[in-house]
Amino acid sequence: MNLVKVAVVGASGYSGQELIRILMRHPGVDLVCVTSRQLAGKTIAEAYPRFQHHRFSSVKFTASDAAGVVASGAKVAILALPHGLAHEYAQPLLEGGLRVIDLSADFRIKDPAVFQEFYGEAHPAPGLLAQSVYGLPEIYRDQIRTSNLVASAGCYPTSILLPLIPLLRAHLIAPASIAVASMSGVSGAGRKVASDYLFCECNESARAYGVPKHRHLSEIEQELSTAAGIPVVISFTPHLIPVNRGIVSTIYANLLPGVSAADITAALEGAYQNEPFVRLQGVTGSADIKNVTHTNYIDITWRHDPRTGRVVLMSAEDNLVKGASGQAVQSLNLMCGWPETEGL
Ligand SMILES: NC(=O)c1ccc[n+]([C@@H]2O[C@H](COP(=O)([O-])OP(=O)(O)OC[C@H]3O[C@@H](n4cnc5c(N)ncnc54)[C@H](OP(=O)(O)O)[C@@H]3O)[C@@H](O)[C@H]2O)c1
């Protein structure tokens, strides 16, 4: 396997660290550049003792600037920066001939007006929106292979879109009836210091937030609408729960007249029976965070409720792996022509 030089921009955050962990074991990758304003000058091993004696542990963090990333010789850059910054890096990196995978929301929304509605500002680089591919490999595999700019799907959206898209494509559920409650571990908020996420504020407690218009609704509804072929608007209530990592989503939808429980099962099995990272747990299994943390799997299970005429879909994933860094490496594998599971 020819090694591909890769850079991680924003490598001191939770997703960035997870990328380092995965890429250290990836046989096709030469990690030539990791950036952080706070850790510049330190080696990976100095900054993160758990990475001592691993491949790339002597690579030094450099300042986060696009010219430095281009100069590193990297051919692919993975951006793990807070939202709102990616275009400052993506534009010069693309001009420098790199391919870019962005973990932020900056290039996920196709319509600049929707971006403005949910993110409160005009999109700074609408031209890049037009050329980005939504980074959900199970749905956009072929487009990702040839893309130079992949907007990796968000953590909550991944947990909601993968269960629902096959059912909407097959016209089995009423789009207007969809309601979702999700629970996320605290690492979903990133490593920044904010009082809402201090140990004493989160431990032994749980709370809803972002109601009724969490930002992730913009990409969730965009992708559900594409699957359904009509505009889809849903209810979504995220909750913060006192675990480090992991998301569970519970999704409700009314079955359309004449649709049976067996139709739901057939649609999900038809969509995912050959997918390496989607583990269908059938109509009796569970979707449990503990079974997916530190892996790139998403577990999906479902029940038909004849009393209400609804299907209840439940999914579990690690927000930092299938919801972020593992999914980005899945896209990297596609872009480089490697087996999609390489390093994962
Ligand atoms: N956490 C998750 O579960 C998750 C899941 C899916 C997607 N995402 C997305 O992935 C991205 C990274 O998330 P995260 O949770 O890993 O964030 P994080 O832990 O807060 O890390 C952010 C990184 O960006 C760097 N950074 C912050 N401000 C910067 C600035 N002004 N200029 C340059 N670098 C800056 C930080 O490093 P320095 O301060 O050292 O420079 C750090 O390495 C976000 O866009 C997030 O929405 C996160």
Side-chain angles (χ1 to χ4, degrees):
M1 188 179 277
N2 286 335
L3 295 187
V4 171
K5 293 184 161 88
V6 173
V8 177
V9 181
S12 66
Y14 287 145
S15 310
Q17 284 178 55
E18 195 63 30
L19 281 164
I20 292 174
R21 183 183 73 82
I22 295 169
L23 296 176
M24 280 178 158
R25 294 174 176 80
H26 195 300
V29 166
D30 185 8
L31 185 62
V32 294
C33 176
V34 288
T35 85
S36 158
R37 297 165 308 166
Q38 299 176 60
L39 299 178
K42 291 188 177 172
T43 66
I44 289 177
E46 285 165 349
Y48 298 114
R50 72 190 175 108
F51 293 143
Q52 284 172 4
H53 302 295
H54 279 69
R55 201 168 148 234
F56 308 133
S57 61
S58 59
V59 172
K60 274 193 176 165
F61 283 90
T62 55
S64 292
D65 86 286
V69 178
V70 175
S72 74
K75 298 295 173 210
V76 182
I78 308 180
L79 309 183
L81 299 162
H83 90 87
L85 291 174
H87 74 279
E88 289 175 25
Y89 290 84
Q91 191 84 57
L93 293 175
L94 290 166
E95 284 165 10
L98 282 79
R99 301 172 84 186
V100 174
I101 302 170
D102 177 37
L103 266 62
S104 83
D106 288 14
F107 304 118
R108 295 178 193 153
I109 313 301
K110 289 292 163 203
D111 182 344
V114 173
F115 181 90
Q116 175 145 20
E117 179 190 342
F118 280 85
Y119 288 87
E121 56 196 283
H123 196 279
L128 291 180
L129 280 185
Q131 79 176 72
S132 69
V133 169
Y134 192 67
L136 192 54
E138 288 76 8
I139 307 299
Y140 291 107
R141 182 168 282 125
D142 290 340
Q143 296 92 321
I144 291 170
R145 277 187 227 284
T146 54
S147 177
N148 287 332
L149 178 58
V150 171
S152 214
C155 48
Y156 285 127
T158 298
S159 77
I160 295 164
L161 293 172
L162 289 177
L164 279 174
I165 284 175
L167 309 190
L168 286 171
R169 283 181 170 171
H171 306 292
L172 301 180
I173 54 174
S177 70
I178 297 170
V180 184
S182 298
M183 284 166 258
S184 173
V186 184
S187 61
R191 207 179 175 201
K192 62 183 176 293
V193 179
S195 59
D196 277 355
Y197 305 108
L198 293 173
F199 182 81
C200 290
E201 305 298 327
C202 303
N203 189 43
E204 304 288 346
S205 193
R207 62 178 184 266
Y209 67 100
V211 186
K213 205 175 172 192
H214 188 280
R215 286 172 164 176
H216 279 172
L217 272 169
S218 51
E219 66 187 276
I220 294 168
E221 290 176 352
Q222 167 182 286
E223 297 304 317
L224 294 181
S225 300
T226 300
I230 53 169
V232 176
V233 177
I234 70 163
S235 298
F236 169 52
T237 306
H239 298 75
L240 190 70
I241 57 168
V243 298
N244 285 352
R245 50 207 286 164
I247 285 180
V248 285
S249 287
T250 303
I251 305 164
Y252 304 89
N254 292 351
L255 297 189
L256 287 172
V259 173
S260 69
D263 295 329
I264 299 291
T265 298
L268 289 165
E269 288 180 348
Y272 296 130
Q273 61 189 346
N274 296 320
E275 285 295 342
F277 296 116
V278 182
R279 297 193 303 199
L280 297 181
Q281 304 296 339
V283 296
T284 56
S286 69
D288 191 325
I289 285 175
K290 70 174 180 287
N291 296 330
V292 292
T293 40
H294 304 279
T295 80
N296 198 48
Y297 293 117
I298 177 169
D299 283 358
I300 301 175
T301 185
W302 59 99
R303 306 284 188 277
H304 174 230
D305 180 356
R307 293 172 58 253
T308 59
R310 293 190 189 114
V311 62
V312 185
L313 299 135
M314 293 149 277
S315 70
E317 66 177 24
D318 186 327
N319 55 296
L320 293 177
V321 190
K322 183 57 178 160
S325 306
Q327 183 136 271
V329 172
Q330 219 181 318
S331 288
L332 173 73
N333 288 337
L334 287 166
M335 293 161 84
C336 293
W338 297 324
E340 199 168 319
T341 53
E342 202 70 81
L344 291 167

